[in-house]
């Protein structure tokens, strides 16, 4: 018996499908481990520590196939997994070796192997089937052998299973010591193309028949050790001379139906799939030991009639050009008989539902509190529905909601004479296979119906109703805030309509961004215009993706006036355009953007095209593993944009036609992209790289080349940049903090990961906007020191010494998944409390001049400081950064009463930073967050509930409404 479930399905923010097969607590994964997979599994409670083998399907691809593998490997190791095998095509070992600069764990042994023949374990035989040809690039046998040996040595160095590194291990420094400079920057060329598409036949081992005591009694076998001897394989002679053998006392062996995972990206691969023998006889466990292997290219099928109904479930992962209900494909599916269930994974038949459900719930709460700062997440129904004649009579629970909505009448009864059965691929589909019996079950991974399609607004209404019962005053404030927001939206729509109808010749609304104003930072000397700069927090977490926070990614959007020669007819209603800078690019950065803004030219494509500069602070995985997908997605966005303009007969170039991307990063970043350009030809077209060391100060050993100087000259002209200054961060090898100053006086500083750094303070003096990491809260200062990060108070101290007027805190430890206890003290209180901090040598400068004059000055600075605590999906203008404090108490109510607080959030503040004492509000009582039944029970139990934050004294409440963290 085994259980098969769809763990994730392809959506806007997750490109791959993953199938989980569980045998007696051992987990085997089949499919594509795309970016966001580890996070989706985590949000559904899947334990990676149970994984034993991963079978990668499809063609070699970082974007679609293995972008989420680094995070999954690191998380599995951290959860205690000690052994894992990864199978794929001939390129799989090379692909994993490209991660050598950032992936290291000495607590796990990872074996990476080419799936060339049957893979046999204790539970099943997995037959790899390569669809399509893969030709080796011209290389001598000696070179091929040397390449394989080199890759093997790289993989052994990445996962040595020595358990000596400890918690504060620096992967980048280790890689620099383990590999030569050339090996670290550039691996040997891959000698194969993208290759075939890998598919798999999963044949569980036949279960040996059970001992039949009735047969033994009928034969007169003594009830002693004789029976055990016969079961062990010995024969026994009865008094009448008959010989009893083992098979005479056993029930028939139980043949368990097989499962097939098909990954067919193109029609070329489908042509090859039709030639394969998917019903080929798979040798038994004993036969494999004798060297027998499955022959999928042979026409020989299972012996006798065993091939009839031999397949329980087939997962079809199909490319867009392979239509599942074309005559050819339906004929292909018919060969497996009417008892086989086909799960159709074609883009037109898959709903674009929420992949990260818990994060979406948090976003709904935040949007309720501040709709102008959080978009409604994009969702969509499937473009097409499975034809009714192929739907099963009783679809799986996860599918029943989709094929038969609750408000629709029951479908007409089907006649049970179907040629085959088909359902759409969806997370939550689960089957239990017991011999020849296949049972559809409800998986614990089944998604909440509220987060499928466009029903998130309903969840917000439920939340507001709950708040109205438990905290009416807060609900009233929320309603007032929402009324103001929607009135502004109505005015915006009216202005756009009046302009397009020719009612006015004045243009004040930008089609590229609804939050632009009439001043652009690129040309205006008026510092009030700086407030139009906006920030998008794509990801705000650290280390690995987590349930509520994805890894780091921050976009700063800068409004620019149109150049004098700009032809308005190609940008009709835009007096200026927006150009953006991307600071770090963790896993799923593009997917999260797509979920925030939706697909299409006016959605994520526009945001990608706006980005002209990407700054990668260092090469830890949480800061750059989304870079390759970003570069490729940006290229595709420009391609679609140009096709659209050609179709509209716009033949002249516009500033938005320039697809140049300036990349400032450590040298290893461009080396990594160059490796994958062998798989994605033209990946780096338009990418102009500048080594971050080029911008170092003289005393920090900068590098200077005429080429980098020329690239920076063009970058300066494109973004109106006066200077870029970079210092080495106090974090890891080749990590940097930077400050960018524009010709109009606007200054933007980004810390990356670092301990408090006085050199960074020097280059960031009087910065207009500081984006600083705040990984730990103050009680974990010792951890911050050991892991070379900053605490909240240290980030405030850096901002104070810089004289920064706008501070954006991000990169929070995943120990604070929902609401860090940063709300507990104001900025001024934290700065005052820094006297009690035991700083290391890097943070000692923060404790200088802690005089009464400094304290008074700090309080004045605190009152003028605009401070924002980042959440995933947040969009905020600089001029609005001070407003977060006005809804802090609403957030506290939502987090404490309507979301489950994590157990890790029990850290105590320092004595000087503790808030005024009062009763703690009650925690959520049982049930999963956002469970309707739990909401109703809470309403019955506490009809007059008032949050304790509202009962505190006026002074504390005033502080919360001001600059509370």
């Amino acid at each position: 018996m085994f259980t098969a479930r769809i763990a994730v399905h392809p959506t806007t923010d997750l490109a791959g499908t993953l199938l989980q097969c569980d045998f007696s607590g051992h987990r085997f994964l089949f499919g594509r481990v795309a970016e966001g997979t580890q996070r989706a599994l985590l949000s559904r409670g899947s334990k990676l520590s149970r994984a034993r083998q991963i079978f990668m399907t499809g063609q070699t691809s970082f974007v679609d196939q293995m972008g989420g593998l680094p995070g999954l490997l690191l998380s599995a190791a951290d959860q205690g997994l000690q052994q894992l095998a990864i199978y794929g095509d001939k390129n799989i070992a090379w692909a994993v070796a490209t991660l050598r600069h950032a992936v290291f764990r000495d607590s796990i042994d990872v074996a990476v192997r080419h799936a060339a023949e049957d893979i046999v374990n204790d539970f099943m035989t997995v037959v790899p089937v390569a669809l399509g040809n893969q030709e080796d690039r011209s290389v001598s046998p000696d070179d091929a052998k040397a390449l394989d040996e080199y890759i093997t040595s790289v993989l052994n160095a990445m996962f040595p299973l020595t358990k000596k590194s400890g918690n504060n291990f620096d992967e980048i420094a280790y890689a620099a010591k383990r590999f030569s400079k050339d090996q670290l920057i550039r691996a040997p060329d891959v000698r194969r193309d993208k290759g075939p598409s890998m598919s798999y036949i999963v044949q569980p081992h036949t279960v040996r028949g059970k001992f039949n005591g009735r047969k033994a009694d009928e034969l007169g076998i003594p009830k002693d050790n004789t029976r055990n001897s016969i079961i062990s394989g010995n024969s026994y002679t009865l008094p009448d001379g008959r010989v009893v053998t083992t098979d005479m006392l056993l029930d028939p062996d139980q043949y368990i139906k097989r499962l097939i995972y098909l990954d067919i990206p193109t029609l070329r691969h489908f042509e090859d799939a039709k030639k394969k023998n998917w019903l080929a006889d798979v040798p038994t466990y004993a036969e494999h030991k004798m060297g027998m292997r499955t022959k999928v290219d042979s026409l020989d099928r299972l012996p006798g009639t065993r091939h009839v109904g031999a397949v329980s479930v087939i997962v079809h992962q199909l490319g867009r050009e392979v239509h599942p209900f074309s005559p050819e494909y339906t004929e292909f599916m018919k060969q497996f008989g009417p008892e086989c269930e086909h799960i159709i994974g074609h883009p037109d038949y898959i709903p674009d539902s929420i992949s990260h459900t818990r994060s979406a719930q948090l976003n709904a709460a935040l949007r309720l509190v501040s709709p102008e700062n959080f978009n409604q997440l994009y969702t969509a129904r499937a473009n097409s529905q499975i034809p009714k004649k192929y739907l099963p009579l009783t679809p799986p629970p996860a599918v029943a909601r989709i094929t038969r909505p609750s408000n629709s009448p029951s479908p007409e009864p089907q006649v049970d004479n179907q040629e085959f059965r088909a359902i759409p691929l969806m997370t939550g589909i689960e089957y239990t296979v017991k011999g020849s019996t296949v049972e559809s079950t409800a998986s614990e991974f089944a998604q909440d119906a509220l987060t499928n399609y466009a029903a998130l607004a309903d969840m917000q209404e439920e939340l507001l109703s709950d708040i109205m019962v438990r905290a009416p005053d807060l609900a009233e404030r929320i309603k007032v805030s929402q009324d103001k927001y929607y009135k502004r939206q109505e005015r915006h729509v009216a202005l756009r309509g009046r302009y397009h109808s020719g009612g006015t010749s004045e243009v004040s609304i930008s089609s590229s961004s609804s939050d632009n104003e009439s001043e652009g930072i690129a040309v205006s000397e008026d510092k009030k215009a700086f407030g139009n700069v906006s920030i998008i927090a794509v990801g705000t977490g650290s280390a690995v993706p987590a349930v509520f926070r994805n890894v780091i990614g921050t976009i700063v959007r800068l409004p620019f006036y149109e150049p004098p020669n700009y032809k308005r007819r190609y940008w009709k209603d835009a007096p200026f355009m927006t150009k953006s800078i991307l600071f770090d690019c963790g896993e799923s950065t593009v997917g999260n953007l797509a979920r925030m803004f939706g697909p299409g030219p006016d959605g994520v494509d526009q945001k990608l095209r706006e980005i002209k500069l990407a700054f990668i602070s260092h090469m830890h995985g949480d800061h750059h593993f989304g870079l390759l997908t970003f570069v490729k997605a940006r290229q595709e966005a420009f391609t679609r944009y140009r096709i659209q303009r050609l179709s509209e007969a716009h033949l002249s170039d516009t500033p938005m036609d320039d697809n140049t991307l300036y990349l400032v990063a450590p040298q290893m970043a461009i080396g990594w992209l160059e490796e994958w350009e062998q798989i994605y030809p033209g990946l780096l077209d338009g990418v102009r790289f500048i080594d971050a060391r080029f911008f170092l100060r003289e005393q920090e050993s900068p590098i200077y080349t005429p080429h980098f100087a020329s690239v920076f000259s063009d970058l300066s002209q494109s973004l109106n940049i006066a200077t870029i200054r970079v210092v080495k961060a106090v974090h890891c090898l080749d990590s940097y903090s930077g400050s960018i100053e524009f010709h109009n006086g606007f200054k933007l500083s980004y810390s990356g990961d670092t301990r408090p750094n006085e050199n960074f303070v020097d280059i960031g003096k009087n910065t207009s906007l500081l984006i600083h990491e705040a990984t730990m809260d103050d009680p974990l200062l010792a951890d911050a020191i050991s892991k070379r990060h900053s605490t909240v108070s240290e980030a405030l101290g850096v901002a104070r010494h810089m004289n920064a007027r706008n501070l954006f805190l991000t990169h929070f430890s995943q120990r604070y998944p929902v609401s860090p206890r940063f709300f507990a003290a104001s900025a001024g209180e934290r700065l005052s409390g820094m006297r009690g901090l035991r700083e290391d040598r890097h943070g000692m400068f923060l404790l200088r001049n802690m005089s009464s004059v400094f304290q008074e000055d700090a309080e004045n600075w605190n009152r003028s400081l605009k401070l924002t605590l980042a959440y995933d999906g947040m969009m905020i203008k600089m001029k609005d950064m001070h407003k977060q404090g006005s809804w802090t108490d609403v957030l506290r109510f939502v987090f404490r009463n309507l979301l489950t607080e994590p157990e890790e959030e029990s850290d105590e503040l320092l004595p000087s930073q503790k808030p005024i004492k009062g009763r703690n509000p009650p925690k959520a009582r049982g049930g999963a967050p956002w469970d309707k039944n739990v909401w109703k029970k809470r309403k019955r139990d506490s009809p007059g509930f008032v949050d304790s934050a509202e009962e505190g004294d006026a002074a504390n409440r005033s502080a919360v409404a001001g600059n509370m963290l």
Side-chain angles (χ1 to χ4, degrees):
M1 184 187 79
F2 72 97
T3 300
R5 65 170 63 94
I6 302 297
V8 296
H9 73 265
T11 61
T12 290
D13 48 6
L14 203 160
T17 298
L18 197 65
L19 174 73
Q20 288 186 183
C21 292
D22 290 346
F23 292 80
S24 302
H26 299 270
R27 179 158 295 162
F28 303 89
L29 306 178
F30 296 82
R32 305 180 185 185
V33 188
E35 293 180 44
T37 298
Q38 176 264 350
R39 189 182 182 203
L41 294 177
L42 185 63
S43 67
R44 296 177 176 92
S46 178
K47 292 187 179 296
L48 297 174
S49 57
R50 293 182 179 178
R52 298 296 176 263
Q53 295 172 328
I54 301 176
F55 298 89
M56 307 290 286
T57 68
Q59 297 177 284
T60 303
S61 170
F62 188 88
V63 174
D64 301 323
Q65 185 197 45
M66 60 168 292
L69 187 61
L72 187 143
L73 290 175
L74 297 178
S75 296
D78 294 343
Q79 289 184 19
L81 183 63
Q82 295 188 3
Q83 287 188 326
L84 181 67
I86 302 173
Y87 294 91
D89 66 5
K90 292 181 180 180
N91 283 336
I92 186 64
W94 170 86
V96 176
T98 63
L99 310 175
R100 64 197 178 284
H101 59 277
V103 175
F104 172 90
R105 282 294 185 272
D106 64 359
S107 59
I108 185 173
D109 178 19
V110 178
V112 185
R113 297 166 182 161
H114 171 214
E117 59 181 14
D118 295 4
I119 299 131
V120 185
N121 57 44
D122 292 340
F123 306 99
M124 60 184 177
T125 297
V126 179
V127 182
V129 182
L131 303 179
N133 298 322
Q134 181 177 39
E135 296 183 2
D136 288 356
R137 297 177 180 176
S138 56
V139 61
S140 68
D142 291 341
D143 289 342
K145 181 179 179 181
L147 174 59
D148 289 337
E149 290 176 351
Y150 167 72
I151 291 177
T152 300
S153 68
V154 168
L155 295 174
N156 290 337
M158 292 169 63
F159 308 104
L161 197 60
T162 58
K163 299 184 179 181
K164 295 180 179 179
S165 62
N167 294 329
N168 302 322
F169 186 80
D170 186 348
E171 294 91 343
I172 299 176
Y174 171 83
K177 292 178 181 178
R178 179 63 181 82
F179 308 112
S180 69
K181 183 177 179 180
D182 290 340
Q183 290 174 330
L184 185 60
I185 300 302
R186 183 79 178 271
D189 290 346
V190 61
R191 67 174 185 269
R192 306 173 182 101
D193 58 15
K194 286 184 84 170
S197 180
M198 297 301 298
S199 299
Y200 298 93
I201 299 171
V202 181
Q203 179 63 68
H205 294 322
T206 299
V207 178
R208 188 185 185 189
K210 294 182 179 180
F211 173 75
N212 192 321
R214 183 178 56 81
K215 288 183 178 181
D217 293 340
E218 290 175 353
L219 291 171
I221 306 298
K223 294 183 179 181
D224 52 23
N225 289 334
T226 303
R227 297 191 177 193
N228 292 334
S229 176
I230 297 175
I231 296 301
S232 300
N234 301 316
S235 61
Y236 175 75
T237 303
L238 295 171
D240 59 6
R242 287 181 297 166
V243 178
V244 179
T245 58
T246 303
D247 58 304
M248 297 173 66
L249 299 184
L250 298 180
D251 290 333
D253 291 346
Q254 187 181 37
Y255 174 78
I256 301 178
K257 289 186 176 184
R258 68 182 56 176
L259 178 149
I260 298 176
Y261 192 115
L262 291 171
D263 198 313
I264 307 177
T266 67
L267 288 173
R268 176 175 64 88
H269 295 95
F270 175 53
E271 290 301 319
D272 198 25
K274 291 190 295 183
K275 301 174 185 177
K276 302 297 183 183
N277 183 9
W278 300 99
L279 296 174
D281 192 17
V282 176
T284 64
Y285 189 84
E287 290 171 341
H288 273 103
K289 288 186 175 181
M290 294 186 291
M292 298 179 64
R293 296 294 181 265
T294 308
K295 298 177 181 179
V296 294
D297 294 319
S298 169
L299 296 179
D300 295 334
R301 293 207 166 189
L302 293 169
T305 59
R306 205 169 74 181
H307 68 276
V308 179
V311 183
S312 58
V313 178
I314 302 179
V315 178
H316 301 259
Q317 181 69 57
L318 306 178
R320 189 168 292 279
E321 65 183 72
V322 185
H323 197 280
F325 299 107
S326 65
E328 273 193 300
Y329 208 90
T330 52
E331 285 299 319
F332 174 71
M333 288 193 283
K334 287 178 185 178
Q335 69 174 305
F336 300 102
E339 295 182 8
C340 177
E341 192 131 296
H342 299 268
I343 303 176
I344 305 300
H346 186 275
D348 287 343
Y349 293 87
I350 301 176
D352 195 351
S353 53
I354 299 295
S355 299
H356 311 299
T357 54
R358 299 289 299 280
S359 177
Q361 292 162 356
L362 175 59
N363 178 274
L366 292 167
R367 177 169 169 76
L368 183 67
V369 173
S370 184
E372 66 271 18
N373 297 126
F374 296 90
N375 273 356
Q376 177 87 349
L377 298 181
Y378 171 81
T379 56
R381 290 182 178 272
N383 295 330
S384 303
Q385 298 294 321
I386 302 290
K388 284 187 177 181
K389 64 179 180 179
Y390 298 129
L391 286 173
L393 297 178
T394 307
V399 177
R401 295 193 303 266
I402 311 308
T403 57
R404 187 173 67 249
S406 58
N407 58 352
S408 65
S410 299
E412 297 179 2
Q414 303 282 344
V415 180
D416 195 9
N417 60 354
Q418 296 169 296
E419 297 173 309
F420 60 86
R421 302 199 303 266
I423 59 174
L425 176 67
M426 274 198 61
T427 299
I429 294 174
E430 180 175 299
Y431 296 95
T432 299
V433 181
K434 302 177 181 179
S436 59
T437 304
V438 182
E439 179 184 354
S440 174
T441 55
S443 170
E444 68 269 21
F445 290 172
Q447 294 185 4
D448 186 346
L450 286 175
T451 58
N452 284 324
Y453 319 125
L456 293 174
D458 296 337
M459 176 163 41
Q460 293 170 0
E461 289 299 321
E462 290 272 10
L463 176 59
L464 182 58
S465 299
D466 202 18
I467 294 177
M468 289 179 65
V469 172
R470 306 178 67 182
D473 53 341
L474 295 185
E476 185 62 30
R477 289 172 53 189
I478 290 173
K479 283 192 171 183
V480 170
S481 174
Q482 288 194 329
D483 288 344
K484 290 181 179 179
Y485 169 73
Y486 290 116
K487 286 180 180 179
R488 287 196 300 269
Q489 291 296 100
E490 289 174 1
R491 288 197 299 270
H492 172 76
V493 172
L495 285 172
R496 288 180 62 87
R498 190 161 70 249
Y499 168 71
H500 287 295
S501 64
T504 178
S505 61
E506 298 295 328
V507 180
S508 60
I509 302 297
S510 168
S511 64
S512 64
S513 174
S514 63
D515 56 8
N516 288 332
E517 299 289 345
S518 60
E519 299 285 353
I521 74 156
V523 294
S524 174
E525 298 294 336
D526 183 3
K527 291 191 176 181
K528 291 183 179 180
F530 296 170
N532 300 321
V533 174
S534 59
I535 307 167
I536 301 176
V538 187
T540 60
S542 64
V544 293
V547 172
F548 291 105
R549 293 187 184 273
N550 192 43
V551 287
I552 193 72
T554 308
I555 297 175
V556 177
R557 305 180 71 226
L558 312 168
F560 280 73
Y561 270 120
E562 62 182 54
N565 60 348
Y566 194 90
K567 294 186 178 181
R568 183 172 297 258
R569 58 179 176 157
Y570 297 131
W571 198 261
K572 292 182 180 178
D573 52 347
F576 56 86
M577 70 189 72
T578 299
K579 297 182 180 181
S580 302
I581 302 175
L582 172 64
F583 290 100
D584 284 326
C585 188
E587 177 185 333
S588 291
T589 293
V590 172
N592 283 8
L593 273 176
R595 184 63 73 188
M596 290 169 62
F597 298 101
D602 296 327
V604 65
D605 281 8
Q606 178 181 296
K607 297 300 182 289
L608 292 173
R609 287 187 286 110
E610 288 176 357
I611 297 173
K612 302 300 180 184
L613 169 63
F615 180 91
I616 305 300
S617 62
H618 63 290
M619 293 299 288
H620 279 161
D622 59 323
H623 289 254
H624 85 281
F625 272 139
L627 180 62
L628 193 155
T629 302
F630 161 72
V631 172
K632 189 171 184 297
R634 186 177 179 274
Q635 281 187 342
E636 293 171 349
F638 270 100
T639 299
R640 288 188 290 267
Y641 174 74
R642 287 165 179 159
I643 293 173
Q644 177 186 356
R645 291 189 63 254
L646 286 174
S647 67
E648 297 172 356
H650 292 166
L651 303 180
S652 301
D653 288 339
T654 74
M656 291 304 292
D657 283 323
D658 182 11
N659 72 334
T660 302
L661 174 68
Y662 297 94
L663 175 62
V664 176
Q667 188 180 4
M668 282 185 286
I670 195 66
W672 179 60
L673 294 176
E674 286 173 347
E675 289 178 39
W676 278 96
E677 193 177 22
Q678 300 171 88
I679 299 296
Y680 302 108
L683 175 68
L684 295 179
D685 291 351
V687 177
R688 305 188 67 186
F689 170 71
I690 306 178
D691 193 316
R693 293 174 294 173
F694 175 78
F695 299 106
L696 286 172
R697 299 185 301 180
E698 292 183 4
Q699 60 268 34
E700 293 186 281
S701 303
I703 61 171
Y704 179 86
T705 67
H707 171 70
F708 288 157
S710 174
V711 176
F712 174 63
S713 176
D714 294 341
L715 167 60
S716 176
Q717 184 176 2
S718 174
L719 287 177
N720 205 31
I721 291 174
T723 60
I724 296 180
R725 301 181 70 188
V726 163
V727 297
K728 291 181 178 179
V730 184
H731 185 60
C732 68
L733 183 69
D734 285 342
S735 58
Y736 304 96
S737 304
S739 185
I740 305 174
E741 188 165 3
F742 297 82
H743 282 294
N744 66 332
F746 182 78
K747 194 170 185 178
L748 171 62
S749 298
Y750 179 70
S751 70
D753 285 6
T754 185
R755 291 287 300 137
N757 187 350
E758 196 165 11
N759 292 332
F760 180 46
V761 170
D762 291 341
I763 67 170
K765 281 290 187 183
N766 299 312
T767 190
S768 307
L769 171 63
L770 170 60
I771 302 173
H772 204 288
E773 70 127 292
T775 308
M776 310 285 186
D777 204 358
D778 296 344
L780 298 179
L781 174 60
D783 285 353
I785 291 174
S786 66
K787 296 179 180 179
R788 289 160 290 185
H789 286 292
S790 298
T791 66
V792 177
S793 291
E794 288 174 331
L796 285 166
V798 171
R800 171 66 190 91
H801 282 263
M802 273 190 183
N803 195 33
R805 296 300 180 185
N806 297 275
L807 175 60
F808 191 80
L809 294 180
T810 186
H811 194 270
F812 304 114
S813 168
Q814 304 294 10
R815 73 180 66 236
Y816 312 115
V818 178
S819 173
R821 294 182 181 266
F822 300 161
F823 298 116
S826 69
E829 290 172 329
R830 286 183 178 272
L831 289 176
S832 300
M834 288 186 66
R835 294 174 182 270
L837 298 181
R838 302 184 63 180
E839 287 287 353
D840 62 349
R841 61 187 180 88
H842 300 293
M844 284 301 295
F845 76 94
L846 298 175
L847 305 182
R848 297 177 194 157
N849 302 321
M850 296 292 285
S851 61
S852 58
V853 175
F854 175 87
Q855 295 297 330
E856 182 178 352
D857 188 39
E859 286 299 326
N860 294 332
W861 169 79
N862 172 42
R863 282 190 287 270
S864 64
L865 173 68
K866 293 180 180 179
L867 172 64
T868 296
L869 183 72
Y871 292 94
D872 281 20
M874 173 183 282
M875 304 170 294
I876 192 166
K877 288 185 182 181
M878 276 178 50
K879 64 182 181 182
D880 296 329
M881 287 179 64
H882 65 289
K883 294 181 180 180
Q884 188 183 46
S886 64
W887 39 271
T888 296
D889 49 349
V890 183
L891 284 181
R892 292 175 69 189
F893 173 83
V894 171
F895 293 154
R896 290 185 178 183
N897 300 286
L898 302 178
L899 288 174
T900 303
E901 288 281 1
E903 294 181 0
E904 289 82 2
E905 290 204 297
S906 60
D907 304 317
E908 292 293 328
L909 290 170
L910 297 177
S912 60
Q913 298 170 334
K914 289 185 177 180
I916 298 174
K917 293 183 178 180
R919 291 190 297 108
N920 291 325
K923 295 184 178 180
R925 287 169 284 176
W930 310 98
D931 184 278
K932 286 186 178 180
N933 294 327
V934 175
W935 294 343
K936 293 176 182 177
K937 185 174 186 300
R938 290 174 184 158
K939 293 176 184 178
R940 292 194 303 268
D941 291 347
S942 53
F945 174 80
V946 177
D947 185 13
S948 63
E950 296 298 306
E951 294 179 330
D953 64 347
N956 190 34
R957 195 158 58 246
S958 175
V960 169
N963 274 317
M964 289 294 289
L965 289 176

